[in-house]
Amino acid sequence: MSSITIPFPDDWHLHLRDGAMLEGVIEHSAKHFARAIIMPNLVPPVVRSSQAEAYRQRILAARPAGSEFEPLMTLYLTETTDPDDVEAAASSGLVKAVKLYPAGATTNSDSGVRDFDKVIPVLERMAEVGLPLCVHGEVTDPDIDIFDREAVFIERVLAPLRERVPGLRVVMEHITTEEGVAYVKDNAENLGATITTHHLIINRNALFVGGIRPHYFCLPIAKREKHRLALRAAATSGDARFFLGTDSAPHPTDAKENACGCAGCFTAPNTMSLLAHVFEEEAALDRLQNFASCNGPAFYRLPVNQQKMTLVKRDTAQAVAATIKTGAGDVTVFDPGFDVFWDVGV
Ligand code: NCD
Ligand code: ZN
């Protein structure tokens, strides 16, 4: 039996939703993470600081009894976002980042940005106050192949935007390509990237094994094997610019097993066991703490958690619930397709 003890992890990209879904899923993140950056793509989106404060209160109220899980709030960037409201939300400590969704890129992104000229004043203010921009890095042009949308976004949107607002601190969210990894490595200043658990495990073949597999459909979509390997190398390298953002994105099972199924993998319950498995495979267990516990706080200028987590490798495969029940319907848990012996606890 082997075990590893790390500072308690944080999740730097999480969808908790609202109402009955929030109540059903929050315990799974609260159990294994001290803090999480909470995505603002609700309906309607969390655009103003007053909405972020109200949403934060709903999250705090939904926590299991005794939990000290801390939601780190974000604002959803629109073309009419007010720089003063953003600055006030940052200086009060309420908001830790602003999220950029190109309009139409993913779930509930219709209020996102179409004309980047319109958001330059907000981005300049964020650069002044050091507030990070979390970027969903995919172009939405239907003429661009879905598997190329991240690489094209870097070239056409992200690189020019960072030149226009050089002091802006940017997190490339859920990178999925070797181009994403290379861009982060080549641009040392003010740049970090999150990587999800599932993109370290599946490549695009997983979507079509013996038929269509809706529970492996997420955005950005999983890419070729060479990209998965580049993500694994980055995540397990210890490099401070790469950190965990699970992008755990619950949808009711019937909304995914559907003629027009929703994008999102729900990995909150088993992420830490899966990461221990992946890092052991890469002979990098000693660097799991960089990825899951230390690099994110360093980027966000927050302390590493004092509390510790011990992961233990058991002799037998660990059972994980295939679905969880919520008041908004059952949610299917991400199935890695292999046995996992790592267990969180102790
Ligand atoms: C996310 C969701 O469901 O909100 N889905 C996903 O596939 N990741 C949206 C997102 O982060 O793109
Ligand atoms: Zn997401």
Side-chain angles (χ1 to χ4, degrees):
M1 190 183 85
S2 51
S3 74
I4 174 172
T5 297
I6 61 175
F8 219 73
D10 302 302
D11 185 349
W12 300 97
H13 180 129
L14 175 64
H15 298 270
L16 283 179
R17 316 300 190 203
D18 212 345
M21 183 62 90
L22 165 65
E23 279 166 24
V25 298
I26 189 169
E27 65 176 283
H28 298 283
S29 291
K31 212 162 138 188
H32 294 166
F33 299 95
R35 300 169 290 200
I37 284 276
I38 308 300
M39 287 296 123
N41 62 332
L42 304 182
V43 185
V46 180
V47 173
R48 287 181 301 281
S49 56
S50 54
Q51 293 171 303
E53 177 54 29
Y55 184 31
R56 182 171 168 275
Q57 292 303 331
R58 297 198 294 279
I59 296 170
L60 294 178
R63 292 182 304 185
S67 169
E68 290 182 7
F69 176 74
E70 190 185 349
L72 307 174
M73 307 310 291
T74 62
L75 295 175
Y76 185 120
L77 183 65
T78 71
E79 293 178 1
T80 57
T81 293
D82 173 7
D84 291 337
D85 186 52
V86 171
E87 181 173 352
S91 52
S92 74
L94 167 66
V95 154
K96 296 289 188 275
V98 171
K99 174 78 189 215
L100 164 65
Y101 290 102
T106 188
T107 311
N108 304 335
S109 61
D110 294 346
S111 317
V113 177
R114 287 183 171 77
D115 178 357
F116 283 83
D117 288 347
K118 299 213 169 105
V119 298
I120 295 297
V122 187
L123 301 183
E124 284 173 342
R125 187 72 69 84
M126 288 168 58
E128 266 170 54
V129 303
L131 187 67
L133 180 72
C134 294
V135 175
H136 183 108
E138 292 192 286
V139 288
T140 51
D141 181 345
D143 291 340
I144 305 294
D145 190 279
I146 187 169
F147 294 101
D148 298 333
R149 286 180 189 171
E150 180 172 297
V152 173
F153 181 88
I154 292 170
E155 196 184 298
R156 285 196 195 163
V157 182
L158 185 60
L161 194 71
R162 291 185 65 245
E163 265 174 41
R164 277 180 86 176
V165 193
L168 184 65
R169 310 183 66 236
V170 172
V171 184
M172 291 173 69
E173 299 282 75
H174 42 50
I175 55 169
T176 57
T177 58
E178 61 183 10
E179 289 87 348
V181 170
Y183 184 75
V184 174
K185 284 193 180 159
D186 291 348
N187 293 268
E189 285 289 294
N190 296 330
L191 190 60
T194 57
I195 300 177
T196 77
T197 310
H198 49 282
H199 287 113
L200 296 173
I201 293 173
I202 57 166
N203 64 26
R204 66 190 197 176
N205 290 342
L207 283 150
F208 308 108
V209 176
I212 192 151
R213 302 290 188 139
H215 297 292
Y216 295 128
F217 175 54
C218 65
L219 291 171
I221 198 160
K223 308 294 192 300
R224 289 178 177 276
E225 178 64 358
K226 67 172 182 175
H227 297 294
R228 185 184 75 100
L229 296 177
L231 297 173
R232 277 199 170 214
T236 60
S237 67
D239 187 324
R241 292 167 293 188
F242 298 101
F243 41 92
L244 173 63
T246 65
D247 196 14
S248 182
H251 291 276
T253 295
D254 60 4
K256 289 190 64 69
E257 296 175 3
N258 187 295
C260 186
C262 294
C265 296
F266 179 60
T267 56
N270 53 354
T271 274
M272 289 312 302
S273 318
L274 293 175
L275 288 175
H277 180 102
V278 166
F279 276 66
E280 184 184 35
E281 275 183 351
E282 300 293 329
L285 269 177
D286 57 329
R287 293 195 281 271
L288 178 58
Q289 62 176 347
N290 302 58
F291 182 66
S293 314
C294 302
N295 296 349
F299 185 89
Y300 278 94
R301 300 174 174 163
L302 292 168
V304 171
N305 298 307
Q306 295 285 316
Q307 201 191 340
K308 305 277 184 204
M309 170 182 282
T310 297
L311 294 128
V312 182
K313 190 175 181 188
R314 307 286 182 196
D315 295 333
T316 52
Q318 296 300 291
V320 177
T323 59
I324 63 151
K325 296 208 174 305
T326 80
D330 289 2
V331 177
T332 301
V333 177
F334 177 77
D335 174 1
F338 48 74
D339 284 344
V340 178
F341 294 82
W342 288 91
D343 179 22
V344 179
V346 208

